[in-house]
Amino acid sequence: MFEYSLGKTKSQLVLKHAKVMNVFSNEWIEQDIAIQYGTIVGVGAYEGETEIDLTGKYVVPGFIDAHMHIESTLVAPEELSKVLLTQGTTTILSDPHELVNVKGAEALDYVLQAGRNTTLDIYTMLPSSVPCFDKDTNGAGEFTAAQMSAYIDDPNVIGLGEVMRVKDVVLEEEKMVEKLDLFKDKPIDGHAPNVSGKELEAYRFADILTDHESSTYEEALDKLRCGFYVLIREGSQAKNLEPIVNGFLAHGIPFTRTAFCTDDRHLDDILNEGHISHCIQKAIALGVDEFTAYKMATLHPATIYGLRRKGAVAAGYQADLVVLNDPKTVAIDCVYKNGHKATLKHLKAIEPSEDLLHTVVIPEVLKEDIQIKRRDKNHVIEVESDSLLTKHVEEEVPGYVYFEPEAPYNKAVVVERHGKNGNIATAILKGFNLTQGAIGSTIAHDSHNMILVGDNDDDILLAAKTLEHFQGGYVLVQNHEVKHIIPCPIAGLISTQKAQIVSGLLKELKEDAHKMGVPASLDPFQALSFLALPVIPEIRLLDGGLYDVVQEQFIKP
């Protein structure tokens, strides 16, 4: 290959006269990029067998999402690959804990196989916290260190996924220690919302490298000071980029140990606003200099996760390149993946097993099962705008003997859907403001039981039956009729439809949910899906009942 670097032999492809971003020197330099066998062999003055003139264009490294869940896009890896490549994302760090919570190793095998079937590079962080909470009911039970060991040598498995069980870490719980030891020489992702002080110090001492759960500048700075890499999240519901970036800029904090991630971002948002490209554009608009913003999307995540051949336009690096018309607005002209212009060429999707397509097993749900006794003051879940956090409040609510939904209050219902115990739990929800119907989903982090919210029992029950019939997905019921359904039969999490179809359905569904009263500051289905996650404060609804995350106990009715 040296003959290509030395220019003695023409390379297969040379991109000519581009303004190339050098992420090491923070310079734009007009140069040629010589590519051979998918690798950059030289940057300078080169001749190629094929030459493409990029005069007036800008070239930056392919973008990397430092932490995301494929399942949150609702499409299979093959479909996601085509979408992300058009947005300039060429590599993702994926944590498939949603799938593994539902169906264990069988689901993990599916997503790894599908990931190898994509043009997009998908690196997997093995789920560390399945289940994330012992008193919640998932489908797979526990995913142990012994099970993980079978995957440790897979070239696409590069680390341990977000460690949500903070207490198990700091108390040196044996099963968690086994997992941490198994990955002691690999990157380990964190998940520590609102953890601080000595507990955060102990958590970092366990060699946990990153955290993506900071929702404020102060929390991000606290974690940075402890030695974490701060992954700045901009998802569909959790929009943390602006407060963190503004805080860093205002106080002169360097971005050298930060990277962008999306965590949970819906497909329609990706297609309409962008993916990591959206993070770069937003950061630049807030005042981050363009070299820093692009490095947060390229060199920084590559460095964090040991991806030695990614994150720069330089000799020896993978030829994953984004050609731009305007770097300040991240206006993408085209994308090169492994030295080839990325296309939407169809990839035949891996077929999931029949077991993976039939995971929604619920009891018959009756009106009497979902009644909430009204008290002088009832415990209420209050949602927060642009956040995954909730507030635990006690308030007088509408009704006489039983709670009767009335704005701003809705009824929330969780139904165990893995065929294990048939639990049904209810709660009062404030701030969702849904009227004249109900919405429901089998995507409810992290155990992924069925979750429903509505203003009347008939529509809530219809939503539940519809989700059972279609074996999972999203549903919207209005005035006793099913108006929208997005079937997601792969583990009740992923659609088998094309990305454009899913995106269109999502757009219509969310628009109608907002017309029915859900505030614009809430992504209806992202907000819904996190109401059952017991590792984010303050209060959640599990299949076993209402749970106080702060006090670490179920709330008595």
Side-chain angles (χ1 to χ4, degrees):
M1 296 283 278
F2 286 102
E3 65 270 24
Y4 301 109
S5 298
L6 292 169
K8 295 180 178 179
T9 303
K10 289 184 178 181
S11 297
Q12 291 170 320
L13 174 66
V14 173
L15 305 178
K16 301 285 289 186
H17 310 306
K19 295 176 183 176
V20 179
M21 174 176 278
N22 190 305
V23 295
F24 306 115
S25 64
N26 287 4
E27 296 177 284
W28 289 107
I29 308 173
E30 187 169 311
Q31 295 173 300
D32 304 332
I33 305 167
I35 300 168
Q36 185 73 23
Y37 305 133
T39 298
I40 299 169
V41 292
V43 181
Y46 286 92
E47 295 181 350
E49 295 174 3
T50 299
E51 296 183 348
I52 297 176
D53 186 6
L54 293 182
T55 299
K57 306 292 185 183
Y58 301 79
V59 176
V60 297
F63 308 146
I64 302 171
D65 190 330
H67 172 77
M68 72 171 293
H69 306 285
I70 291 171
E71 306 95 315
S72 293
T73 69
L74 305 188
V75 292
E78 295 91 345
E79 282 298 304
L80 181 62
S81 173
K82 292 182 280 188
V83 171
L84 293 191
L85 286 170
T86 65
Q87 303 295 327
T89 301
T90 55
T91 302
I92 64 172
L93 283 300
S94 168
D95 182 344
H97 71 207
E98 323 296 1
L99 280 162
V100 176
N101 262 290
V102 175
K103 211 64 178 175
E106 182 180 352
L108 179 58
D109 290 339
Y110 157 73
V111 77
L112 285 172
Q113 185 182 9
R116 288 189 286 268
N117 193 40
T118 64
T119 305
L120 180 75
D121 284 336
I122 300 176
Y123 293 100
T124 297
M125 306 291 282
L126 285 188
S128 68
S129 304
V130 175
C132 71
F133 183 64
D134 290 334
K135 296 178 182 178
D136 203 6
T137 308
N138 70 356
E142 187 177 0
F143 189 57
T144 66
Q147 290 173 291
M148 291 180 184
S149 64
Y151 299 91
I152 198 74
D153 293 325
D154 187 309
N156 292 322
V157 172
I158 65 168
L160 186 64
E162 53 182 309
V163 180
M164 309 173 80
R165 301 180 66 124
V166 176
K167 294 289 185 184
D168 287 359
V169 174
V170 301
L171 296 177
E172 299 181 89
E173 192 274 333
E174 182 179 357
K175 292 178 181 178
M176 180 56 71
V177 170
E178 288 176 354
K179 295 173 185 177
L180 295 173
D181 284 347
L182 184 64
F183 287 88
K184 63 183 178 181
D185 297 321
K186 296 178 181 290
I188 300 175
D189 278 335
H191 172 110
N194 289 354
V195 177
S196 61
K198 290 184 172 62
E199 188 176 28
L200 187 62
E201 295 288 338
Y203 187 68
R204 177 66 188 94
F205 185 71
D207 283 335
I208 294 170
L209 192 65
T210 72
D211 179 85
H212 62 273
E213 287 292 339
S214 296
S215 58
T216 65
Y217 154 70
E218 291 80 8
E219 184 177 2
L221 180 60
D222 197 18
K223 289 168 181 173
L224 185 69
R225 286 170 172 167
C226 282
F228 291 94
Y229 285 99
V230 175
L231 306 185
I232 301 176
R233 173 175 57 191
E234 189 73 1
S236 287
Q237 177 59 29
K239 300 178 187 294
N240 309 136
L241 189 150
E242 187 168 343
I244 294 174
V245 166
N246 280 340
F248 274 47
L249 289 171
H251 295 87
I253 305 299
F255 290 92
T256 48
R257 289 179 67 85
T258 65
F260 294 128
C261 76
T262 61
D263 196 12
D264 298 285
R265 189 160 175 83
H266 267 154
L267 192 65
D268 59 325
D269 290 332
I270 294 172
L271 286 169
N272 294 331
E273 297 179 346
H275 188 237
I276 295 300
S277 55
H278 175 64
C279 298
I280 300 168
Q281 188 275 330
K282 192 168 184 178
I284 292 172
L286 290 170
V288 178
D289 78 85
E290 61 187 19
F291 293 106
T292 298
Y294 278 97
K295 286 194 286 188
M296 292 164 71
T298 58
L299 184 63
H300 291 186
T303 301
I304 293 168
Y305 293 99
L307 304 176
R308 293 175 50 245
R309 302 294 184 184
K310 293 180 178 289
V313 184
Y317 282 76
Q318 198 167 329
D320 293 351
L321 307 167
V322 182
V323 181
L324 302 170
N325 294 316
D326 181 0
K328 291 192 182 299
T329 60
V330 200
I332 296 174
D333 180 272
C334 63
V335 178
Y336 285 84
K337 183 73 186 72
N338 297 324
H340 298 279
K341 187 174 283 190
T343 68
L344 299 185
K345 183 180 178 180
H346 178 67
L347 290 170
K348 182 174 173 56
I350 297 297
E351 294 287 341
S353 68
E354 281 299 310
D355 281 349
L356 209 55
L357 293 171
H358 296 91
T359 62
V360 180
V361 181
I362 65 169
E364 183 179 7
V365 185
L366 305 174
K367 282 189 179 182
E368 52 262 38
D369 297 324
I370 60 173
Q371 300 310 307
I372 300 172
K373 188 78 180 245
R374 186 183 176 279
R375 306 186 182 280
D376 290 339
K377 286 191 175 181
N378 284 75
H379 295 278
V380 175
I381 303 171
E382 184 174 1
V383 295
E384 293 191 14
S385 299
D386 295 330
S387 174
L388 302 182
L389 301 175
T390 57
K391 291 180 181 177
H392 179 188
V393 297
E394 294 183 59
E395 297 182 351
E396 184 178 347
V397 298
Y400 294 95
V401 177
Y402 296 104
F403 162 64
E404 297 176 7
E406 181 182 304
Y409 301 101
N410 285 126
K411 181 180 288 185
V413 179
V414 166
V415 183
E416 188 274 315
R417 65 101 164 174
H418 305 292
K420 289 195 168 183
N421 57 37
N423 281 347
I424 301 170
T426 58
I428 301 168
L429 183 65
K430 182 180 180 182
F432 212 80
N433 297 340
L434 189 71
T435 61
Q436 299 182 318
I439 64 174
S441 173
T442 50
I443 302 163
H445 303 284
D446 273 340
S447 292
H448 297 291
N449 288 305
M450 186 182 294
I451 188 163
L452 312 130
V453 168
D455 74 339
N456 70 88
D457 293 343
D458 289 331
D459 286 348
I460 290 172
L461 297 181
L462 178 57
K465 289 179 180 178
T466 304
L467 288 171
E468 180 185 26
H469 175 76
F470 284 96
Q471 283 298 295
Y474 287 165
V475 65
L476 184 146
V477 176
Q478 187 175 27
N479 294 325
H480 315 314
E481 292 185 6
V482 176
K483 189 169 184 181
H484 298 288
I485 176 71
I486 303 179
C488 294
I490 303 177
L493 303 173
I494 294 175
S495 173
T496 56
Q497 295 178 296
K498 300 293 184 185
Q500 293 291 341
I501 294 174
V502 174
S503 176
L505 291 172
L506 261 173
K507 184 175 183 292
E508 293 174 359
L509 190 151
K510 291 199 289 188
E511 284 177 352
D512 278 352
H514 287 304
K515 289 176 183 177
M516 291 167 66
V518 178
S521 60
L522 293 179
D523 180 295
F525 285 87
Q526 285 283 350
L528 180 69
S529 70
F530 282 97
L531 290 177
L533 182 57
V535 294
I536 296 182
E538 294 180 345
I539 183 172
R540 303 285 151 169
L541 180 62
L542 313 182
D543 73 293
L546 199 56
Y547 184 73
D548 187 322
V549 179
V550 178
Q551 298 299 321
E552 299 181 340
Q553 61 186 16
F554 281 99
I555 297 168
K556 293 182 180 179

